[in-house]
Amino acid sequence: MEFQPPQKYTAKLQDKIVHNDKFIQLHFELSEPHRLSFLAGQYVSIKVADRGDRRPYSICSAPVVDHSFELLVDVTPHGVGIEYLLGLDFGAEIELLGPMGRFVVPDMPSEQALQFVATGSGIAPMRSMLLDQLQTKKDTRPMTLYWGLRHEEDTFWLLEFEELAHNFSNFSFHPVLSKPKEAWSLCRGRVTDCVKTHQQPEQAGYYLCGNSAMLEDMINILKDQKVPEEHVHHESFF
């Protein structure tokens, strides 16, 4: 798998989707250069202050669309990066470096199934990976996505993932809420609790992205299950 060296880009904000009070989705069109060749799971580093401060954000769109990219942002930390992105007007131009990172689905025939486990905005690179593997690469290996959030009000993209599961018989989706209302009929508790209730496929690759507590729990679970380290891929958000 070939990783391109990062380079400088400029891009303009074209669209903004406010999913709820916690998550927004930003769509940028490339200005110069006009094409961004990236691998699903990679991120860009955005200049968020005149003094040169930068913040990394995973690309949540599919690589097949290379004239633009989309980011998913959790607005609750209220840091300098979030304030910068929230303050952008439509048409505003940003500076970025990319693509960056090695959290990607490698060409490993030994991974006969793909298991994705995310919490919160850790879903961003997973969405890119799944769209790429299912729609673009037509990967027929079994794939499962476990996504942990706190409240039902935090959810979004559920219909999109359910539609993927409907269109691709090799894909399954399990949303998990740690603080659900009584009417919630799907997985409850931590996302790792949901993972443990399902039989895991043999010779699977595991892709983990989210908070450090989930990563630590999942890595320990996979160690106990004797999953080889080379089949455990992860990226921490906080």
Side-chain angles (χ1 to χ4, degrees):
M1 182 169 290
E2 185 176 351
F3 291 92
Q4 299 293 328
Q7 65 180 98
K8 183 178 178 180
Y9 290 84
T10 55
K12 292 183 178 180
L13 178 64
Q14 293 296 316
D15 196 14
K16 178 188 298 185
I17 300 173
V18 179
H19 289 296
N20 47 49
D21 291 339
K22 191 175 176 68
F23 298 104
I24 64 171
Q25 184 175 341
L26 303 174
H27 178 103
F28 292 92
E29 287 286 334
L30 274 299
S31 300
E32 184 64 35
H34 299 295
R35 294 287 184 267
L36 172 62
S37 177
F38 67 95
L39 301 173
Q42 290 191 299
Y43 66 91
V44 294
S45 176
I46 297 178
K47 181 181 176 181
V48 297
D50 291 337
R51 63 188 181 186
D53 293 6
R54 293 185 169 277
R55 293 294 184 271
Y57 296 97
S58 290
I59 301 171
C60 66
S61 50
V64 69
V65 181
D66 63 358
H67 60 81
S68 65
F69 63 92
E70 294 178 351
L71 306 178
L72 175 71
V73 180
D74 181 347
V75 303
T76 55
H78 297 296
V80 61
I82 301 304
E83 295 302 323
Y84 172 77
L85 292 175
L86 290 179
L88 291 175
D89 294 324
F90 291 110
E93 193 165 74
I94 65 169
E95 294 182 15
L96 60 130
L97 292 174
M100 305 177 79
R102 293 176 176 265
F103 182 57
V104 301
V105 179
D107 298 322
M108 295 180 67
S110 57
E111 293 187 350
Q112 297 181 11
L114 305 178
Q115 303 291 94
F116 300 89
V117 185
T119 56
S121 57
I123 193 65
M126 308 298 200
R127 179 178 183 256
S128 182
M129 291 174 175
L130 285 164
L131 293 175
D132 191 44
Q133 295 299 131
L134 293 169
Q135 295 181 341
T136 304
K137 296 181 177 177
K138 310 298 183 185
D139 192 335
T140 58
R141 287 177 291 180
M143 301 181 204
T144 306
L145 170 62
Y146 300 89
W147 181 19
L149 294 161
R150 290 184 180 176
H151 308 282
E152 196 163 352
E153 294 78 12
D154 298 333
T155 62
F156 59 100
W157 285 349
L158 297 191
L159 290 178
E160 177 176 320
F161 288 128
E162 288 167 2
E163 185 175 347
L164 278 179
H166 175 76
N167 293 334
F168 297 91
S169 60
N170 58 317
F171 173 60
S172 300
F173 172 47
H174 299 288
V176 187
L177 295 184
S178 60
K179 296 182 178 180
K181 295 178 180 177
E182 188 174 344
W184 182 258
S185 60
L186 303 175
C187 281
R188 295 166 170 257
R190 296 182 177 181
V191 68
T192 47
D193 297 331
C194 186
V195 173
K196 287 188 286 188
T197 64
H198 291 83
Q199 182 68 35
Q200 298 303 303
E202 297 289 334
Q203 296 181 290
Y206 290 84
Y207 296 81
L208 321 174
C209 191
N211 64 66
S212 57
M214 180 277 284
L215 288 180
E216 183 177 352
D217 288 348
M218 273 303 307
I219 289 171
N220 288 332
I221 290 170
L222 297 175
K223 281 182 179 178
D224 291 342
Q225 295 180 355
K226 302 297 190 292
V227 175
E229 285 187 16
E230 62 267 26
H231 294 317
V232 181
H233 318 270
H234 56 84
E235 187 158 87
S236 177
F237 271 29
F238 55 89

